[in-house]
Coordinates of all heavy atoms in Angstrom, one line a residue:
F281 N -11.5 5.2 65.1 CA -12.6 4.3 64.8 C -12.1 3.1 63.9 O -12.9 2.2 63.7 CB -13.7 5.1 64.1 CG -14.3 6.1 65.0 CD1 -14.0 7.4 64.9 CD2 -15.2 5.7 66.0 CE1 -14.6 8.4 65.7 CE2 -15.8 6.6 66.8 CZ -15.5 8.0 66.7
V282 N -10.9 3.2 63.4 CA -10.4 2.1 62.5 C -10.3 0.8 63.3 O -9.7 0.8 64.4 CB -9.1 2.5 61.8 CG1 -8.5 1.3 61.0 CG2 -9.2 3.7 61.0
G283 N -10.9 -0.2 62.7 CA -10.9 -1.5 63.4 C -12.1 -1.8 64.2 O -12.3 -2.9 64.7
R284 N -12.9 -0.8 64.4 CA -14.1 -1.0 65.2 C -15.3 -1.4 64.4 O -15.4 -1.1 63.2 CB -14.4 0.3 66.0 CG -13.3 0.7 67.0 CD -13.7 1.9 67.8 NE -15.0 1.9 68.3 CZ -15.6 2.9 69.0 NH1 -15.0 4.0 69.1 NH2 -16.9 2.8 69.4
E285 N -16.3 -2.0 65.1 CA -17.5 -2.3 64.5 C -18.6 -1.2 64.9 O -18.7 -0.9 66.1 CB -18.0 -3.7 64.9 CG -19.3 -4.1 64.3 CD -19.7 -5.5 64.8 OE1 -18.8 -6.4 64.8 OE2 -20.9 -5.7 65.1
L286 N -19.2 -0.6 63.9 CA -20.2 0.4 64.1 C -21.5 0.2 63.4 O -21.4 -0.4 62.3 CB -19.6 1.8 63.7 CG -18.4 2.3 64.4 CD1 -17.9 3.6 63.7 CD2 -18.6 2.6 65.8
E287 N -22.6 0.6 63.9 CA -23.8 0.6 63.2 C -23.8 1.8 62.2 O -23.5 3.0 62.7 CB -25.0 0.7 64.1 CG -26.4 0.5 63.4 CD -27.5 0.3 64.4 OE1 -27.4 0.8 65.5 OE2 -28.5 -0.3 64.0
V288 N -24.2 1.6 61.0 CA -24.2 2.7 60.0 C -25.6 2.8 59.4 O -26.3 1.8 59.2 CB -23.1 2.6 58.9 CG1 -21.7 2.6 59.6 CG2 -23.3 1.4 58.1
L289 N -26.0 4.0 59.0 CA -27.2 4.2 58.3 C -26.9 4.5 56.8 O -26.2 5.4 56.5 CB -27.9 5.5 58.9 CG -29.2 6.0 58.2 CD1 -30.3 4.9 58.2 CD2 -29.7 7.3 58.8
I290 N -27.4 3.6 56.0 CA -27.2 3.7 54.5 C -27.9 4.9 54.0 O -29.2 5.0 54.1 CB -27.6 2.4 53.8 CG1 -26.8 1.2 54.3 CG2 -27.4 2.6 52.3 CD1 -25.3 1.3 54.1
E291 N -27.2 5.8 53.3 CA -27.9 7.0 52.7 C -28.1 6.8 51.2 O -29.1 7.2 50.7 CB -27.0 8.2 53.0 CG -27.0 8.7 54.4 CD -26.5 10.1 54.6 OE1 -25.5 10.4 53.9 OE2 -27.0 10.9 55.4
E292 N -27.1 6.3 50.5 CA -27.2 6.3 49.1 C -26.3 5.2 48.5 O -25.1 5.3 48.4 CB -26.7 7.6 48.5 CG -26.9 7.8 47.0 CD -26.4 9.1 46.5 OE1 -25.9 9.9 47.3 OE2 -26.6 9.3 45.3
P293 N -26.9 4.1 48.0 CA -26.1 3.1 47.3 C -25.7 3.7 46.0 O -26.5 4.5 45.3 CB -27.1 2.0 47.1 CG -28.2 2.2 48.1 CD -28.3 3.6 48.3
V294 N -24.4 3.5 45.5 CA -23.9 4.1 44.3 C -24.3 3.1 43.2 O -23.9 2.0 43.1 CB -22.4 4.3 44.4 CG1 -21.9 4.8 43.1 CG2 -22.1 5.2 45.6
I295 N -25.0 3.7 42.2 CA -25.5 2.9 41.1 C -24.3 2.4 40.2 O -23.4 3.3 39.9 CB -26.5 3.7 40.2 CG1 -27.7 4.0 41.0 CG2 -26.9 2.9 38.9 CD1 -28.7 5.0 40.3
G296 N -24.2 1.2 39.9 CA -23.2 0.6 39.1 C -21.9 0.3 39.8 O -20.9 -0.2 39.2
E297 N -21.9 0.5 41.1 CA -20.7 0.1 41.9 C -21.1 -0.6 43.1 O -22.1 -0.4 43.7 CB -19.9 1.4 42.2 CG -19.3 2.1 41.0 CD -18.3 3.2 41.4 OE1 -17.4 2.8 42.3 OE2 -18.3 4.3 40.9
D298 N -20.1 -1.4 43.6 CA -20.4 -2.2 44.9 C -20.0 -1.4 46.1 O -19.0 -1.7 46.8 CB -19.7 -3.5 44.8 CG -20.3 -4.5 43.8 OD1 -21.5 -4.3 43.5 OD2 -19.6 -5.4 43.4
L299 N -20.7 -0.3 46.3 CA -20.5 0.5 47.5 C -21.7 1.4 47.8 O -22.5 1.6 46.9 CB -19.2 1.4 47.3 CG -19.1 2.4 46.2 CD1 -19.7 3.7 46.6 CD2 -17.6 2.6 45.8
A300 N -21.7 2.0 49.0 CA -22.8 2.9 49.4 C -22.2 3.9 50.3 O -21.3 3.6 51.1 CB -23.9 2.1 50.0
F301 N -22.8 5.1 50.3 CA -22.4 6.1 51.2 C -23.3 6.0 52.5 O -24.6 5.8 52.3 CB -22.6 7.5 50.6 CG -21.6 7.8 49.6 CD1 -22.0 7.9 48.2 CD2 -20.3 8.1 49.9 CE1 -21.0 8.2 47.2 CE2 -19.3 8.3 48.9 CZ -19.7 8.4 47.6
A302 N -22.7 6.1 53.6 CA -23.5 5.9 54.9 C -22.9 6.8 55.9 O -21.9 7.5 55.7 CB -23.4 4.4 55.3
R303 N -23.6 6.8 57.1 CA -23.1 7.6 58.2 C -23.2 6.7 59.5 O -24.1 5.9 59.6 CB -23.9 8.9 58.4 CG -23.7 10.0 57.4 CD -24.5 11.2 57.8 NE -25.9 11.0 57.7 CZ -26.7 10.9 58.7 NH1 -26.2 11.0 60.0 NH2 -28.0 10.8 58.6
A304 N -22.2 6.9 60.4 CA -22.3 6.4 61.7 C -22.7 7.5 62.7 O -22.9 8.6 62.3 CB -21.0 5.7 62.1
Y305 N -22.7 7.1 64.0 CA -23.2 8.1 65.0 C -22.3 9.3 65.0 O -22.8 10.4 65.4 CB -23.2 7.5 66.4 CG -21.9 7.4 67.1 CD1 -21.5 8.5 67.9 CD2 -21.1 6.3 67.0 CE1 -20.2 8.5 68.5 CE2 -19.8 6.3 67.7 CZ -19.4 7.4 68.4 OH -18.2 7.3 69.1
L306 N -21.1 9.2 64.6 CA -20.1 10.3 64.7 C -20.2 11.3 63.5 O -19.5 12.3 63.5 CB -18.7 9.7 64.6 CG -18.4 8.8 63.4 CD1 -17.1 9.2 62.8 CD2 -18.4 7.3 63.9
Q307 N -21.2 11.1 62.7 CA -21.4 12.0 61.5 C -22.8 12.5 61.4 O -23.7 11.7 61.2 CB -21.0 11.3 60.2 CG -19.5 10.9 60.2 CD -19.3 9.5 59.5 OE1 -20.2 8.7 59.4 NE2 -18.1 9.4 58.9
A308 N -23.0 13.8 61.6 CA -24.3 14.4 61.4 C -24.6 14.6 59.9 O -23.7 14.6 59.1 CB -24.4 15.8 62.1
P309 N -25.9 14.6 59.6 CA -26.3 14.8 58.2 C -25.6 16.0 57.5 O -25.7 17.1 58.0 CB -27.8 14.9 58.2 CG -28.2 14.3 59.5 CD -27.1 14.6 60.4
E310 N -25.0 15.8 56.3 CA -24.6 16.8 55.4 C -23.4 17.6 55.8 O -22.7 18.3 55.0 CB -25.7 17.8 55.1 CG -26.9 17.1 54.5 CD -28.1 18.0 54.2 OE1 -27.8 19.2 54.2 OE2 -29.2 17.6 53.9
V311 N -23.0 17.6 57.1 CA -21.9 18.5 57.5 C -20.6 17.8 57.9 O -19.6 18.5 57.9 CB -22.4 19.4 58.8 CG1 -23.5 20.3 58.4 CG2 -22.8 18.5 59.9
D312 N -20.6 16.5 58.2 CA -19.4 15.8 58.5 C -19.0 14.8 57.4 O -19.6 14.9 56.3 CB -19.7 15.0 59.9 CG -20.1 16.0 61.0 OD1 -19.6 17.1 61.0 OD2 -20.9 15.5 61.9
G313 N -18.0 14.0 57.7 CA -17.6 13.1 56.7 C -18.6 11.9 56.5 O -19.7 12.0 57.0
A314 N -18.2 10.9 55.8 CA -19.1 9.8 55.5 C -18.4 8.5 55.8 O -17.1 8.4 56.0 CB -19.5 9.8 54.0
V315 N -19.1 7.4 55.8 CA -18.6 6.1 55.8 C -18.9 5.4 54.5 O -20.1 5.4 54.1 CB -19.2 5.2 57.0 CG1 -18.7 3.8 56.9 CG2 -19.0 5.8 58.3
V316 N -17.9 5.0 53.7 CA -18.1 4.3 52.5 C -18.1 2.8 52.7 O -17.1 2.3 53.2 CB -17.0 4.7 51.5 CG1 -17.2 4.0 50.1 CG2 -17.0 6.2 51.2
V317 N -19.2 2.2 52.5 CA -19.4 0.8 52.8 C -19.2 0.0 51.5 O -19.9 0.2 50.5 CB -20.8 0.5 53.4 CG1 -20.8 -1.0 53.8 CG2 -21.0 1.4 54.6
R318 N -18.3 -1.0 51.5 CA -18.0 -1.8 50.3 C -19.0 -3.0 50.3 O -19.2 -3.6 51.4 CB -16.6 -2.3 50.3 CG -15.5 -1.2 50.3 CD -15.4 -0.6 48.9 NE -14.5 0.5 48.9 CZ -14.3 1.3 47.8 NH1 -15.0 1.0 46.7 NH2 -13.4 2.3 47.9
G319 N -19.6 -3.3 49.2 CA -20.5 -4.4 49.1 C -21.7 -4.1 48.2 O -21.7 -3.0 47.5
S320 N -22.7 -4.9 48.2 CA -23.8 -4.7 47.3 C -25.1 -5.1 48.1 O -25.1 -5.6 49.2 CB -23.7 -5.5 46.1 OG -23.6 -6.9 46.4
G321 N -26.2 -4.8 47.5 CA -27.5 -5.1 48.1 C -28.0 -4.2 49.2 O -28.8 -4.6 50.0
F322 N -27.4 -3.0 49.3 CA -27.8 -2.1 50.3 C -29.1 -1.4 50.0 O -29.4 -1.1 48.9 CB -26.7 -1.0 50.5 CG -25.3 -1.6 50.8 CD1 -24.2 -1.4 50.0 CD2 -25.2 -2.4 51.9 CE1 -23.0 -1.9 50.3 CE2 -23.9 -3.0 52.2 CZ -22.8 -2.7 51.4
T323 N -29.8 -1.0 51.1 CA -31.1 -0.3 50.9 C -31.0 1.0 51.7 O -30.7 1.1 52.8 CB -32.3 -1.1 51.5 OG1 -32.3 -2.4 50.8 CG2 -33.6 -0.3 51.3
A324 N -31.2 2.1 50.9 CA -31.2 3.4 51.6 C -32.2 3.5 52.7 O -33.3 3.1 52.6 CB -31.5 4.5 50.5
G325 N -31.8 4.1 53.8 CA -32.6 4.3 55.0 C -32.6 3.1 56.0 O -33.2 3.2 57.0
R326 N -31.8 2.0 55.6 CA -31.7 0.9 56.5 C -30.3 1.0 57.2 O -29.4 1.6 56.7 CB -31.8 -0.4 55.7 CG -33.1 -0.6 55.0 CD -34.3 -0.7 55.9 NE -34.2 -1.9 56.7 CZ -34.7 -3.1 56.3 NH1 -35.3 -3.2 55.1 NH2 -34.6 -4.2 57.1
T327 N -30.2 0.3 58.3 CA -28.9 0.2 59.0 C -28.3 -1.1 58.9 O -29.0 -2.1 58.7 CB -29.1 0.6 60.5 OG1 -29.9 -0.4 61.1 CG2 -29.7 2.0 60.7
L328 N -27.0 -1.2 59.2 CA -26.3 -2.5 59.2 C -25.1 -2.3 60.1 O -24.6 -1.2 60.3 CB -26.0 -3.0 57.8 CG -25.1 -2.1 56.9 CD1 -23.6 -2.3 57.1 CD2 -25.4 -2.5 55.4

């Protein structure tokens, strides 16, 4: 998946840091890995 563009669902922006935990289609809730998205202004429950 490295180098690819994927739609991710923002789960939790990290307070005080420019990053958020998210998931792509390849990760089921709570049991698989995560996508750490670098940046700011993310909203939990939205996709990008």
Side-chain angles (χ1 to χ4, degrees):
F281 295 103
V282 176
R284 292 183 51 185
E285 183 179 316
L286 297 174
E287 186 171 26
V288 300
L289 174 63
I290 301 295
E291 287 193 324
E292 184 181 4
V294 178
I295 298 173
E297 296 193 44
D298 288 340
L299 61 88
F301 291 108
R303 287 184 296 107
Y305 83 86
L306 55 133
Q307 296 148 330
E310 300 180 14
V311 293
D312 300 328
V315 177
V316 179
V317 185
R318 299 288 176 183
S320 59
F322 302 121
T323 302
R326 302 292 295 274
T327 63
L328 57 84

